[in-house]
Amino acid sequence: MLVVISGLPGTGKSAVAAVVARAAEAVHLSIDTVEDALLGAGLARSWATGVAAYEAVRAAAEQNLDLGRIVVVDAVNDSEPARDTWRRAAATADVPLIFVLLTLDDEVEHRRRLEGRTRNLANVHEPSWEDISIRRASFEPWEDVQLRVNASESIQHIANAIFSRLRPPPAIQP
């Protein structure tokens, strides 16, 4: 099974993905981590490098899906070409795909989270609130998202909503 957790930066994708992957004993793959490594290896900061990160994660996802592992991906996925990456991966591995979209309509909380977060990324720059506003305005409509979750809920609440889609749901370790 391929679980793709999506949403704007600062909505908690990586935190939720880590909880879900840990509980499901799944592989967690993050676009930002791979893009950070690509930039660290000397690739230029560009649209092409971002696409390369998606493709590298897709290849790793397919490899792990072929091994029978559950794979949890966290990525913004604000365009149909990005989403098609995961549709192709699930089809290639012949596994179910679950798209999860985290939304956070409370702009004060979203901005607080974005500006207060620290990540272990040396080369991927944190987006500004203005960057997020622009990205929100250009976020393409999404027709086949299976689960929309308000990211103002706790990480455990969001994870439980995702677990309800997994068969059988994993046991959550305290």
Side-chain angles (χ1 to χ4, degrees):
M1 174 172 289
L2 176 58
V3 179
V4 179
I5 301 175
S6 306
L8 290 169
T11 56
K13 295 179 301 297
S14 296
V16 170
V19 168
V20 170
R22 190 173 297 110
E25 297 181 356
V27 174
H28 174 200
L29 300 171
S30 173
I31 296 298
D32 286 349
T33 302
V34 172
E35 186 172 6
D36 191 64
L38 294 173
L39 293 169
L43 272 68
R45 189 176 319 281
S46 69
W47 176 83
T49 302
V51 171
Y54 270 77
E55 287 302 310
V57 170
R58 180 198 48 77
E62 288 176 3
Q63 188 174 39
N64 280 281
L65 291 166
D66 284 343
L67 293 172
R69 302 296 307 267
I70 294 171
V71 174
V72 180
V73 171
D74 77 80
V76 173
N77 290 305
D78 55 356
S79 69
E80 278 303 303
R83 298 167 197 158
D84 280 342
T85 303
W86 315 119
R87 292 179 188 115
R88 283 193 330 269
T92 297
D94 194 27
V95 298
L97 169 63
I98 298 174
F99 279 128
V100 178
L101 178 59
L102 301 183
T103 61
L104 188 53
D105 294 332
D106 181 342
E107 289 188 7
V108 172
E109 174 62 12
H110 192 170
R111 187 173 189 161
R112 183 194 68 75
R113 286 184 188 186
L114 182 71
E115 292 174 351
R117 74 181 182 171
T118 56
R119 302 187 300 165
N120 294 325
L121 301 174
N123 304 293
V124 171
H125 298 296
E126 289 295 333
S128 68
W129 182 246
E130 181 181 338
D131 295 332
I132 299 302
S133 299
I134 292 167
R135 206 150 186 194
R136 178 183 284 120
S138 65
F139 205 101
E140 292 182 14
W142 199 335
E143 300 301 323
D144 64 340
V145 66
Q146 288 94 351
L147 182 61
R148 290 179 195 271
V149 183
N150 183 338
S152 65
E153 300 286 351
S154 71
I155 291 173
Q156 195 58 58
H157 175 86
I158 297 167
N160 286 337
I162 296 168
F163 295 149
S164 72
R165 303 292 175 115
L166 304 180
R167 300 285 178 241
I172 300 171
Q173 301 298 318

